[in-house]
Amino acid sequence: MISRAAAIAGIGATEFSKDSGRSELRLAVEAIRAALDDAGLRAADVDGLVTFSMDNNAEIAVGRELGVGELSFLSRIGYGGGAACAVVQQAVLAISAGIADVVVCYRALNERSGRRFGQAVVSPDVDAGWHYPMGLATPAAMVAMVARRYLHDYGGSGDDFGRVTVAARRHAATNPYAWFHGRPITLDEHRASRWIAEPLRLLDCCQESDGAVALVVTSLSTARDLARPPAVITAAAQGSGPGQFVMTSYYRCDVAALPEMGVVARQLWAQSGYAPADIRTAVIYDHFTPYVLMQLEELGFCGRGEARHLIADGGIELGGRLPVNPHGGQLGEAYIHGMNGIAEAVRQVRGTAVNQVPGDGPVLVTAGTGVPTSGLILAPA
C-alpha cells in the first residue's frame, strides 16, 4: 500500500510570466532550490528526480547545477499535463520501495516565450494521421469536438463553460502570484471573447506561461521532522481508458466522456478511504473548460451531464458547494502543466493559501485529461 506512506514536504516556484528572460534549466533550478529551502533540506539530501517526458531539462544537468550528489532514482512520465500527479506517484513508489529517500518532482517551461503548445505543429505520432488531415491540429480543436458532443448529449450552453472561467478568474484576482491578479471577468466578457474552435472561446482555453514548479517528496516519518507541516499523500493514481487517443478519443462508444479520469477516480477513493463528499476543495486541471465539467462528473461529484447544475450560482467558487481551483487554476494563475495546482493543494493542507478554504478535510488534485492522466488526494498529518 502506498497510501499515507509519503508526503510532500516542500514546494517551490518561480514567478509566472509570459517572458521569463532565462533558460528553462535556470527556471528548474530556481524552483527546486526554493522547494528544498521550504522543506529545510539541502541539495545533497536529494537522491531522486522525476519530471515530464516533455521537460527539456536533463536530470543530470539539473543535478549538476543544484550540486546533487549520487542519484538512485530517475523517472519521466509522458502525455503532457496528464503526468502532473503521476510524477508524485512515481516519487511515492520509489520511497515506498526503499529506492530513494528524498525525491524532487519538477516541471520548467518557457511555453509562452518559447514553444507555444496552442499552435499547430507537425506531430511525429502515428495517431496524428487520423485527425491532422481533417484540421484537428491543435488541442483546442480536438477538445472542441468533444465539447460539441457533450452539449448535444446533455444540453446546456457555452455559458456553462464560461462559468468555469469566471470562477477561476475571480479566484486569481485575489491571488498576488497569479498572472490575472486583479483582473476578474464577467460572463458577458466570456461571451464576447473570440472563437478559437466552436464551441470554445478564447476564455475557455488556459494560458501559455513561462515558469517552473518543484515539489519535494519524502517518507511521512521524515516529513514530520522537517520545517513545514507535511501534506500526506493519501492516494496517488494513474490511468488510461479504452480506445485512448490524445485530447480526443474518436472511436469510443461515448465520445463525450473522460474514462481515463474514471480509472483514476476509482483508485483514489479506494486507496484513501474518502468519498467525494469528504473533499474540502478540488484542484481540477483546467486546460479547457468543458473538461472541468466532465472531470467533476467522472470523479463522482455529480451525475453524468449534471456538472452544469453543480457550477451554477457559484457552486465552484469560494463559499460554494465545492470550491474549485482557489488559486485561479491554469485559466487564472498560470499553466505549468498542473504542477502549480499541486503546490496550491499543499498550501490548502498547510492552511497557508491566499484563498484558504475553511476546514481540515482532504484536497483532491487532478492532472490533464483527454490523455492518460493521474490524480492525488492530500490531507494533513
Side-chain angles (χ1 to χ4, degrees), residues 111 115-121 137-141 196 206-208 288:
E111 196 229 354
R115 176 195 167 189
R116 298 181 63 177
F117 293 173
Q119 293 185 332
V121 296
T138 67
I196 297 299
C206 69
Q207 303 180 63
E208 295 172 308
F288 298 99

Side-chain angles (χ1 to χ4, degrees), residues 87-357:
V87 297
V88 176
Q89 183 197 45
Q90 287 284 294
V92 174
L93 291 170
I95 290 163
S96 300
I99 296 170
D101 295 318
V102 176
V103 180
V104 170
C105 307
Y106 67 90
R107 179 71 172 106
L109 71 171
N110 282 325
E111 196 229 354
R112 182 61 179 81
S113 64
R115 176 195 167 189
R116 298 181 63 177
F117 293 173
Q119 293 185 332
V121 296
V122 177
S123 173
D125 189 338
V126 67
D127 287 346
W130 293 101
H131 54 85
Y132 270 58
M134 311 307 165
L136 298 180
T138 67
M142 298 171 199
V143 174
M145 182 177 178
V146 181
R148 179 66 77 193
R149 184 70 196 190
Y150 181 83
L151 294 177
H152 172 81
D153 287 351
Y154 301 113
S157 70
D159 281 0
D160 298 310
F161 303 154
R163 289 184 180 93
V164 174
T165 308
V166 169
R169 290 287 294 271
R170 186 166 293 172
H171 298 161
T174 54
N175 174 7
Y177 304 103
W179 177 255
F180 285 113
H181 176 236
R183 289 183 279 175
I185 63 163
T186 65
L187 195 55
D188 281 340
E189 287 175 291
H190 173 269
R191 293 173 183 143
S193 64
R194 62 184 173 88
W195 293 115
I196 297 299
E198 294 187 47
L200 300 184
R201 296 184 178 275
L202 176 65
L203 292 178
D204 289 308
C205 307
C206 69
Q207 303 180 63
E208 295 172 308
S209 303
D210 288 9
V213 175
L215 315 165
V216 178
V217 183
T218 69
S219 68
L220 179 55
S221 59
T222 298
R224 289 181 189 277
D225 295 330
L226 296 179
R228 298 283 193 173
V232 181
I233 302 164
T234 67
Q238 190 176 17
S240 178
Q244 186 85 57
F245 277 70
V246 171
M247 300 313 297
T248 300
S249 295
Y250 307 91
Y251 302 107
R252 289 171 173 167
C253 294
D254 186 359
V255 173
L258 298 172
E260 62 272 11
M261 184 51 68
V263 174
V264 168
R266 291 189 292 274
Q267 295 177 75
L268 293 178
W269 304 131
Q271 285 181 33
S272 68
Y274 294 124
D278 298 316
I279 299 301
R280 171 164 51 101
T281 181
V283 180
I284 303 295
Y285 196 99
D286 54 342
H287 44 348
F288 298 99
T289 55
Y291 278 3
V292 173
L293 275 67
M294 295 165 70
Q295 285 180 76
L296 291 169
E297 295 167 6
E298 294 284 356
L299 289 159
F301 290 107
C302 57
R304 185 66 59 82
E306 296 177 358
R308 69 182 189 277
H309 306 305
L310 171 63
I311 70 170
D313 302 317
I316 58 172
E317 295 183 19
L318 297 172
R321 173 182 160 192
L322 178 70
V324 169
N325 296 344
H327 60 314
Q330 298 179 127
L331 291 162
E333 186 184 61
Y335 177 82
I336 312 295
H337 252 158
M339 292 288 279
N340 51 315
I342 302 174
E344 169 65 13
V346 173
R347 290 189 292 266
Q348 290 288 339
V349 169
R350 290 177 174 177
T352 60
V354 172
N355 294 320
Q356 184 67 37
V357 176

Side-chain angles (χ1 to χ4, degrees), residues 17-41:
S17 74
K18 303 299 182 187
D19 186 0
S20 71
R22 52 209 195 273
S23 70
E24 291 178 337
L25 178 58
R26 180 170 172 179
L27 291 173
V29 170
E30 287 179 15
I32 295 170
R33 284 176 175 162
L36 290 170
D37 288 346
D38 185 58
L41 292 169

